Amino acid sequence: TYKDKGTKFSGIQLNPIYKDNVIYIATGNGKLIAINSRSGEKIWSIQSIKRIATRGIVLDDDNELSLFVPIEEKVFKISAKTGLVDKNFGINGFVNIKTRSAPIINKNNLCVAQMAPAIIKCFNKITGKFEFKVDAHPKNKKFNRGGTIWGNIAFDKNKEIIYLVTGNPRPAMVGINRPGSNNNANS
């Protein structure tokens, strides 16, 4: 058991990550912590002044051993060995994108599900340079808002396909003002 003090934020929904006897967790009070899985001792801890995205962080299992951590409207690259932000990645250690999901790593790409508009954006995982994007909705969609990517995304490495879930168009509960099939929403 590991306990941390403080409840500045709330509602963390992400799973811990485990690699080489180290557990990486995010806490509801905005900390990212590396813990020795055998002794239970904290290896390092960093405090965010903003909420860590509730649904996921990812560990890049390459030589660098990097964590990609969504915080507010950014994804930070953090050394899993030291807990330090990689200032050479993107803009001083981050790329701008609003997500709730853990990013996906494929080869040299870090792909992130942007909530709204619903887009998958891919960046170079080393430099943070924007590479390409894929829109979740067709250009001629019949609704203006909603259909956001609100849940986690999944990746089929063999086929190189990202699967995502979109939510309701707005208004979310009453659909009388958004008639039609609302393609790519709730799907």
Side-chain angles (χ1 to χ4, degrees):
T1 302
Y2 180 85
K3 292 187 179 188
D4 196 63
K5 295 178 183 175
T7 56
K8 182 177 178 185
F9 305 109
S10 65
I12 207 76
Q13 300 172 10
L14 59 88
N15 291 329
I17 295 175
Y18 175 79
K19 172 75 177 166
D20 295 334
N21 296 317
V22 179
I23 300 171
Y24 303 94
I25 62 168
T27 65
N29 62 350
K31 287 184 183 172
L32 186 64
I33 302 172
I35 302 166
N36 181 302
S37 66
R38 295 185 187 240
S39 69
E41 296 296 315
K42 180 170 49 175
I43 299 168
W44 56 258
S45 172
I46 56 175
Q47 176 70 54
S48 173
I49 60 170
K50 301 284 185 175
R51 184 180 187 169
I52 296 171
T54 57
R55 296 188 179 129
I57 59 177
V58 70
L59 177 70
D60 188 5
D61 196 7
D62 62 359
N63 293 337
E64 291 182 47
L65 218 63
S66 301
L67 290 162
F68 290 95
V69 183
I71 301 173
E72 285 293 308
E73 296 187 10
K74 299 172 175 64
V75 174
F76 287 83
K77 182 178 182 181
I78 297 170
S79 168
K81 296 172 185 172
T82 65
L84 298 174
V85 174
D86 180 352
K87 300 287 186 171
N88 295 316
F89 177 75
I91 307 163
N92 207 23
F94 64 87
V95 292
N96 285 311
I97 187 164
K98 184 176 183 178
T99 186
R100 289 189 179 170
S101 305
I104 299 292
I105 296 171
N106 182 34
K107 299 175 184 164
N108 280 331
N109 289 321
L110 174 76
C111 297
V112 186
Q114 177 176 288
M115 287 183 63
I119 297 171
I120 299 291
K121 288 186 177 178
C122 294
F123 303 87
N124 180 288
K125 71 175 187 173
I126 298 165
T127 66
K129 178 182 175 254
F130 175 76
E131 297 290 337
F132 63 93
K133 69 177 184 171
V134 178
D135 291 321
H137 296 294
K139 293 189 187 312
N140 62 350
K141 69 179 181 169
K142 302 291 186 204
F143 54 89
N144 292 327
R145 297 184 310 129
T148 60
I149 303 171
W150 57 268
N152 275 329
I153 57 178
F155 180 60
D156 181 329
K157 189 174 183 177
N158 294 330
K159 294 180 181 178
E160 294 187 314
I161 296 173
I162 293 176
Y163 296 91
L164 57 95
V165 177
T166 58
N168 290 346
R170 299 294 180 253
M173 300 301 178
V174 180
I176 57 176
N177 292 325
R178 51 177 169 81
S181 63
N182 296 306
N183 288 339
N184 293 25
N186 301 318
S187 60

